[in-house]
Amino acid sequence: MKRKVPFLILSGIAPLLCMAHPGHGETGGFTITHYIVEPIHVFTGIFLLSLSVAVFSYIKRKAKLAK
């Protein structure tokens, strides 16, 4: 559980890093359309998802080698 806490905190803070960007409000501020259409949110989501998968597989591989 101790290993998961920093990643949970980072994934919780990530949306705050993308709040102010050019073009905010053109597609309706806080609608789902805004988060799907705006490239900054899409790329950030893909990056965080791939980072999470990489870290998860690294931890699983390291645990398997330790056995």
Side-chain angles (χ1 to χ4, degrees):
M1 181 65 184
K2 290 181 183 179
R3 294 180 188 171
K4 294 180 183 178
V5 172
F7 298 110
L8 291 174
I9 292 170
L10 284 176
S11 64
I13 293 174
L16 297 175
L17 300 174
C18 295
M19 284 186 68
H21 57 81
H24 206 295
E26 292 177 5
T27 56
F30 294 104
T31 61
I32 192 68
T33 307
H34 173 77
Y35 292 100
I36 293 172
V37 174
E38 294 292 330
I40 186 105
H41 296 293
V42 174
F43 294 138
T44 303
I46 291 170
F47 172 74
L48 289 176
L49 181 64
S50 61
L51 181 66
S52 300
V53 168
V55 169
F56 180 74
S57 64
Y58 173 77
I59 290 172
K60 291 291 264 186
R61 190 173 344 122
K62 189 175 178 181
K64 192 180 279 188
L65 291 175
K67 288 183 181 181

